[in-house]
Amino acid sequence: MPKNAGRAAIVRRAGTPIASVRVSTISWGAEAIDVTDRDSSGIVEVLAAVATQQITLSVEGVYSSPVLRDIAFDVAASKLLTDITFQFGDALAAKDTIAGNFFFASYEESNPHDAETTFTAEFTSSGAWTHA
């Protein structure tokens, strides 16, 4: 597997980068369907099917645009963001992306007196996503 630079990863909304991201993390999680019963002799049994699954995108960056701040702090704004795409660092060659609707779950901003303003944000998938 070829190595690639993490800085090439991009998070976009409707095709436009949503922030100056310098660190991004993507994680996938699933829950099993537990079918353990008295006949299982005390050993957990699960189905091969997945009960629920989700993707979480976490990003960190240097504040350069009010887009995320405005969504986070606007009480009336929907936190369900449509048309979000995560483009992996090697996507320039492989076109490797995850796309779908994501719930904007958290936003944090840091304003140190002697450095740049930074932020962190987290997005959780809502519904099915595509991997291309």
Side-chain angles (χ1 to χ4, degrees), residues 36-112:
T36 307
D37 60 17
R38 289 185 180 176
D39 295 330
S40 301
S41 302
I43 298 172
V44 174
E45 293 181 52
V46 297
L47 294 178
V50 174
T52 60
Q53 57 183 320
Q54 73 178 28
I55 289 178
T56 301
L57 298 173
S58 300
V59 296
E60 299 175 27
V62 175
Y63 179 89
S64 65
S65 166
V67 173
L68 292 179
R69 178 196 280 171
D70 289 350
I71 295 169
F73 297 143
D74 182 348
V75 175
S78 174
K79 305 308 184 242
L80 182 61
L81 307 181
T82 58
D83 198 12
I84 298 293
T85 302
F86 178 83
Q87 183 175 336
F88 290 90
D90 61 350
L92 299 177
K95 300 194 181 348
D96 199 1
T97 61
I98 300 278
N101 298 331
F102 285 81
F103 181 76
F104 186 13
S106 69
Y107 177 83
E108 183 176 321
E109 194 171 297
S110 176
N111 298 287

Side-chain angles (χ1 to χ4, degrees), residues 19-39:
S20 297
V21 174
R22 63 179 176 190
V23 176
S24 57
T25 303
I26 185 168
S27 60
W28 171 86
E31 292 188 30
I33 300 173
D34 186 340
V35 293
T36 307
D37 60 17
R38 289 185 180 176
D39 295 330

